[in-house]
C-alpha cells in the first residue's frame, strides 16, 4: 500500500486526527493575512466610528481571511471525498478474490447509464456523511452485490434499496446485517395481535442483544437501543411470539429487500 493510500485510509479510520492536523494548517494560513502596522493605523484613522476591533482576531485582511477559509475548506472537502471513494473501491476489491473479473464487472457497471446513476447515488451518500468505516463497508457490499446482477433490468429495485440504506445509520445497518445471530427476547407483560407483538419490546430486545454481544457499557447500550428503534420505526423488523413469554425478532419483507445489499 502506497503512502498516499495509507493517508487516505487514516482519514477514514481516524478523521479526528486529520482534522486536528488541518486545523493547524488553517492557523498557519490565517497568520499570513494579518494587516501590517501601517495598514492597521490607516484603517483605524479612516473608520474610527464604524470599525470595531475584535480582540480575538485583531486587525486582519477580512477579504483574504474569507478566501483562505474557503480555499482551506474546499481542500479538506476534496481530501475527504477522495479518501471515502478510494476506501469504498478498495473494500470492493478486497471482497473479490478475482480482481480482474471484479474490475471488468465494475467497468461494465460504470459504463452503463443505469449503473453509473446508481454508482453516483452511492457516492452521494458517502459525500453527505462524515468519514465512517461501517458505512463505507456497507456501501461497498451493496456495490459488490449490484455489479454482479442484471443492473439495467433491476435498476428500480437497486435504486429503492439504496434509498432505504441511505435513511439508516451505519450502526442500524450493522445490526440488521447481523440478523442471523439475534437472540430470543424474554418478555414480561405483553400484548399481541396473533403472533405479532403489539406492545413495546425495544428494551427487552436491546438487553438481550447487548448481553449476547457482551456489551456492558451504558453509552454503547444507548446507541444500540437507538439503532434498534430505527429499525422498528422504519418497519424493517418486528417481533413475533415464539413460546410462553418468549419472542423472536424477524426481518420484515421490506427489510429483506435490503439484506442482499449489506450481506454481500
Amino acid at each position: 500500500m502506497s503512502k498516499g493510500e495509507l493517508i487516505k485510509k487514516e482519514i477514514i479510520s481516524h478523521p479526528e486526527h486529520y482534522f486536528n492536523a488541518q486545523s493547524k494548517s488553517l492557523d498557519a494560513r490565517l497568520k499570513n493575512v494579518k494587516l501590517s502596522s501601517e495598514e492597521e493605523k490607516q484603517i483605524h484613522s479612516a473608520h474610527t466610528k464604524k470599525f470595531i476591533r475584535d480582540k480575538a482576531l485583531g486587525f486582519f485582511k477580512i477579504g483574504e481571511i474569507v478566501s483562505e477559509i474557503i480555499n482551506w475548506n474546499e481542500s479538506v472537502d476534496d481530501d475527504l471525498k477522495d479518501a471515502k471513494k478510494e476506501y469504498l473501491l478498495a473494500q470492493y476489491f478486497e471482497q473479490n478474490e478475482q480482481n480482474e473479473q471484479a474490475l471488468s464487472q465494475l467497468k461494465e457497471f460504470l459504463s452503463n447509464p443505469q449503473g453509473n446513476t446508481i454508482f453516483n447515488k452511492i457516492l452521494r451518500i458517502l459525500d453527505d456523511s462524515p468519514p465512517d468505516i461501517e458505512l463505507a463497508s456497507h456501501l461497498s457490499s451493496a456495490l459488490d452485490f449490484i455489479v454482479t446482477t442484471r443492473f439495467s433490468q433491476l435498476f428500480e429495485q437497486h435504486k429503492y434499496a439504496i434509498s432505504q440504506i441511505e435513511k439508516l445509520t451505519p450502526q442500524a445497518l450493522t445490526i440488521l446485517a447481523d440478523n442471523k445471530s439475534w437472540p430470543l427476547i424474554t418478555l414480561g407483560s405483553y400484548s399481541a395481535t396473533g403472533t405479532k407483538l403489539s406492545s413495546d419490546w425495544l428494551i427487552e430486545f436491546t438487553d438481550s442483544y447487548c448481553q449476547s454481544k457482551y456489551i456492558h457499557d451504558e453509552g454503547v447500550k444507548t446507541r444500540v437501543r437507538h439503532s434498534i428503534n430505527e429499525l422498528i420505526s422504519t418497519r424493517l423488523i418486528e417481533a413475533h411470539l415464539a413460546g410462553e413469554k418468549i419472542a423472536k425478532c424477524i426481518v420484515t419483507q421490506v427489510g429483506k429487500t435490503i439484506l442482499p445489499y449489506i450481506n454481500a
Side-chain angles (χ1 to χ4, degrees):
M1 186 177 289
S2 69
K3 183 178 179 181
E5 289 173 328
L6 285 172
I7 291 173
K8 286 186 166 64
K9 186 172 182 180
E10 179 71 11
I11 291 174
I12 300 296
S13 303
H14 302 287
E16 67 280 2
H17 296 168
Y18 171 77
F19 276 98
N20 182 53
Q22 290 303 313
S23 69
K24 293 176 182 177
S25 76
L26 179 60
D27 286 341
R29 290 168 71 161
L30 293 181
K31 284 179 182 178
N32 292 327
V33 297
K34 194 168 184 179
L35 295 171
S36 66
S37 299
E38 187 60 33
E39 288 173 318
E40 184 178 328
K41 288 178 183 177
Q42 290 176 1
I43 290 175
H44 189 67
S45 60
H47 302 279
T48 303
K49 294 181 180 179
K50 293 189 292 182
F51 196 87
I52 300 174
R53 179 168 182 165
D54 185 325
K55 292 182 180 179
L57 284 177
F59 281 105
F60 284 89
K61 300 175 183 178
I62 302 301
E64 289 190 31
I65 277 189
V66 171
S67 179
E68 286 292 344
I69 289 175
I70 290 174
N71 290 337
W72 176 86
N73 191 64
E74 287 179 348
S75 175
V76 168
D77 190 48
D78 288 343
D79 282 351
L80 292 175
K81 286 181 178 179
D82 286 347
K84 288 186 283 189
K85 289 173 186 175
E86 288 193 19
Y87 188 83
L88 172 78
L89 293 174
Q91 287 292 103
Y92 165 76
F93 284 112
E94 282 185 17
Q95 291 177 24
N96 290 275
E97 294 181 359
Q98 298 180 343
N99 280 347
E100 188 174 340
Q101 181 181 350
L103 178 58
S104 176
Q105 290 175 327
L106 184 62
K107 285 166 63 179
E108 181 184 353
F109 178 67
L110 295 176
S111 302
N112 177 277
Q114 287 83 6
N116 195 271
T117 298
I118 294 170
F119 183 69
N120 285 324
K121 186 171 180 61
I122 290 173
L123 293 185
R124 281 195 295 274
I125 296 173
L126 278 178
D127 288 344
D128 292 340
S129 307
D132 190 288
I133 287 179
E134 271 187 284
L135 177 61
S137 295
H138 289 309
L139 291 175
S140 69
S141 293
L143 178 63
D144 184 38
F145 173 71
I146 294 170
V147 298
T148 59
T149 67
R150 294 170 298 162
F151 40 80
S152 292
Q153 292 92 324
L154 298 174
F155 176 68
E156 292 300 328
Q157 176 185 314
H158 292 327
K159 194 168 66 168
Y160 174 77
I162 295 299
S163 295
Q164 294 303 309
I165 289 172
E166 184 177 12
K167 296 175 184 177
L168 297 171
T169 61
Q171 294 74 29
L173 290 168
T174 297
I175 292 173
L176 183 61
D178 190 40
N179 66 92
K180 290 182 179 179
S181 67
W182 289 346
L184 293 173
I185 309 166
T186 302
L187 302 171
S189 59
Y190 67 88
S191 58
T193 303
T195 64
K196 183 181 176 182
L197 288 186
S198 53
S199 55
D200 187 20
W201 47 277
L202 172 62
I203 300 299
E204 289 88 343
F205 182 51
T206 300
D207 289 343
S208 297
Y209 186 76
C210 288
Q211 187 175 358
S212 72
K213 297 296 180 182
Y214 304 101
I215 297 172
H216 304 294
D217 182 271
E218 290 302 322
V220 177
K221 283 184 178 180
T222 298
R223 292 192 289 275
V224 170
R225 184 168 63 249
H226 176 78
S227 297
I228 292 173
N229 192 46
E230 267 190 86
L231 297 173
I232 295 173
S233 62
T234 51
R235 299 183 179 181
L236 298 178
I237 63 174
E238 58 189 29
H240 288 257
L241 293 172
E244 184 65 29
K245 290 193 173 183
I246 298 293
K248 180 177 178 60
C249 180
I250 65 170
V251 181
T252 65
Q253 287 302 314
V254 175
K256 287 178 181 176
T257 64
I258 301 175
L259 288 182
Y261 296 84
I262 58 178
N263 286 331

